[in-house]
Amino acid sequence: AVFWYQNSDNQTAENGKDKETAETAKDFNQPSVEVNSKLESIKMPVADASATVIKKNFYDKNADKAEQEAALVYYNNRYEPNKGIDVAARDNKAFDVVASISGEVTKVEDDSLNGNLVEVEHEDGVVTRYQSIQDIEVKVGDKVKQGEKLAVSGQSLINEDAGVHVHFEIRKDGVAVNPIEFMDKQLTSIPSDTKAQSN
């Protein structure tokens, strides 16, 4: 009787284990899907945002006249609307420029006028641009994670007033949008029809 009881108890345990395994493993044949980038929120392109200041804001056509004037870049006797934000350290020293959100590097350029450039492509037609940088550590085709170092802040001829800084842009389908509006929001928060928001 004891042998029969132990045997039936083992079978019950095994049957329960088989049932549990079958329930938890039933979707193992499905392909895995990367979900991290969908859950990320856009961050400032610096490791410590509290140690930085915005030297020049995005030119918003709906802002008041004073804000618009402050968002113009003057170079070579011309005024141009700023298509991003210019971020500098409070102590005016160089700092690490990091990926605002995960993506793939699609462009790396040397440019003394605008400052060297790294462009990172993301989902939903969104691209982030990092300009006025030096000591670039990535190349085209690299997959970068949010917060990963891309370069070091630098300078540009077109915006010398900003000193050592990074010029940061977010573009949706080629149209620049105000990065400040989308900080701590997901890529999907950037509307498809960005024409109305751009300059």
Side-chain angles (χ1 to χ4, degrees):
V2 172
F3 175 73
W4 175 81
Y5 175 77
Q6 285 179 336
N7 196 21
S8 66
D9 192 40
N10 287 343
Q11 284 179 344
T12 303
E14 285 176 15
N15 289 342
K17 185 178 177 184
D18 289 345
K19 184 178 179 185
E20 182 181 319
T21 303
E23 286 178 3
T24 57
K26 63 184 174 187
D27 292 328
F28 280 174
N29 291 333
Q30 298 297 320
S32 62
V33 178
E34 184 180 349
V35 294
N36 283 350
S37 60
K38 292 183 185 297
L39 300 176
E40 288 177 348
S41 296
I42 298 167
K43 300 292 181 194
M44 289 289 280
V46 296
D48 181 8
S50 66
T52 62
V53 292
I54 295 175
K55 290 280 193 169
K56 193 170 287 291
N57 280 305
F58 176 83
Y59 181 89
D60 184 347
K61 68 177 188 176
N62 298 318
D64 65 42
K65 190 174 180 181
E67 288 175 321
Q68 287 179 340
E69 286 178 7
L72 291 172
V73 177
Y74 181 75
Y75 178 77
N76 202 20
N77 295 321
R78 287 183 57 183
Y79 287 97
E80 294 284 337
N82 198 25
K83 294 185 179 178
I85 55 173
D86 297 314
V87 183
R90 290 185 187 277
D91 61 8
N92 296 317
K93 293 181 180 176
F95 55 90
D96 289 347
V97 175
V98 302
S100 172
I101 196 162
S102 301
E104 181 177 347
V105 177
T106 53
K107 190 183 285 186
V108 175
E109 288 180 356
D110 292 334
D111 185 338
S112 59
L113 179 62
N114 293 306
N116 301 331
L117 163 76
V118 168
E119 199 167 87
V120 180
E121 191 173 282
H122 314 280
E123 300 166 357
D124 301 321
V126 177
V127 169
T128 50
R129 303 180 101 196
Y130 310 80
Q131 280 181 282
S132 302
I133 54 177
Q134 60 189 345
D135 302 332
I136 296 171
E137 296 192 3
V138 293
K139 62 186 183 308
V140 172
D142 284 355
K143 300 263 199 288
V144 293
K145 299 279 188 193
Q146 185 177 54
E148 183 177 333
K149 182 179 176 182
L150 304 175
V152 174
S153 59
Q155 294 179 296
S156 67
L157 292 176
I158 202 166
N159 191 4
E160 290 181 302
D161 291 346
V164 176
H165 71 289
V166 59
H167 174 78
F168 176 64
E169 295 181 14
I170 298 176
R171 292 177 179 243
K172 169 82 170 187
D173 300 325
V175 179
V177 298
N178 188 349
I180 297 302
E181 283 185 22
F182 300 102
M183 284 297 150
D184 298 318
K185 296 179 182 175
Q186 295 179 353
L187 292 176
T188 53
S189 68
I190 304 174
S192 294
D193 183 15
T194 53
K195 299 290 183 195
Q197 298 182 24
S198 67
N199 44 346

